[in-house]
Amino acid sequence: MAFRIMLDSNIILDLSLQRSDDLEDLKSIYRKITEGEFRCYSTTSIIHTCAHFLIKSVRLQIAKEILLSLLVNVKIIEANHDLVKDAIQSEFIDIEDALQYYTAMHHKLDCIITRDKKFIKAAKPQLPVCNPATFIKKYLN
């Protein structure tokens, strides 16, 4: 079975807007997604956040095209009522990170990729959260 990952909104935006110093690393990860080596998942809240920032950066039609293109390779997963309550009641300081984390755990994902240092620090051993460079060192080499 393919390795199952979630890309946080900051990673999707960096890749979509080509605004990162490590863009080649992000492209390598995304290439593995398109090739089927990794299965990629997202949530409506991540897509919502990305849409907000994409529309500010590019025209509405281009933002829609970027998101629709992304959804060819990314499956949307969601949390139920009880999972949302658990995430909010968790030890996570950032509720948005908690919601993403608990949703990913519920769907048995293998890793979340983000640039958010607080999110990385808050992760538990059963579901690693790492930056792109760490992900590449651990899972692409």
Side-chain angles (χ1 to χ4, degrees):
M1 183 174 197
F3 199 73
R4 299 161 47 96
I5 63 174
M6 177 183 284
L7 301 179
D8 200 7
S9 55
N10 51 55
I11 300 299
I12 293 172
L13 289 168
D14 287 349
L15 188 58
S16 299
L17 298 173
Q18 299 191 11
R19 65 178 191 188
S20 173
D21 291 338
D22 62 354
L23 189 57
E24 291 308 312
D25 287 347
L26 298 179
K27 286 180 180 180
S28 294
I29 294 167
Y30 197 71
R31 190 174 313 110
K32 296 292 184 182
I33 293 166
T34 62
E35 292 170 353
E37 188 170 329
F38 300 142
R39 291 232 165 99
C40 189
Y41 299 85
S42 188
T43 64
T44 55
S45 63
I46 289 174
I47 300 301
H48 177 261
T49 300
C50 290
H52 173 79
F53 288 104
L54 284 170
I55 290 167
K56 285 184 167 193
S57 299
V58 297
R59 291 188 346 253
L60 174 62
Q61 189 57 39
I62 293 172
K64 286 182 174 186
E65 289 170 10
I66 289 169
L67 293 172
L68 288 170
S69 174
L70 178 75
L71 292 175
V72 169
N73 298 299
V74 176
K75 181 179 179 185
I76 300 299
I77 56 174
E78 290 305 330
N80 62 32
H81 181 85
D82 290 334
L83 191 65
V84 171
K85 282 177 41 181
D86 290 344
I88 292 170
Q89 293 172 343
S90 74
E91 295 178 12
F92 274 76
I93 294 169
D94 185 317
I95 293 174
E96 181 184 359
D97 292 346
L99 292 168
Q100 303 309 339
Y101 194 81
Y102 276 71
T103 301
M105 281 184 44
H106 176 76
H107 289 277
K108 297 178 176 47
L109 302 190
D110 299 306
C111 187
I112 299 172
I113 305 172
T114 186
R115 291 195 193 291
D116 183 340
K117 292 176 184 171
K118 290 179 185 175
F119 193 3
I120 293 167
K121 191 177 245 187
K124 298 173 184 169
Q126 60 265 40
L127 176 59
V129 177
C130 55
N131 65 36
T134 301
F135 180 82
I136 286 175
K137 284 179 193 168
K138 281 185 172 182
Y139 304 107
L140 284 183
N141 292 330

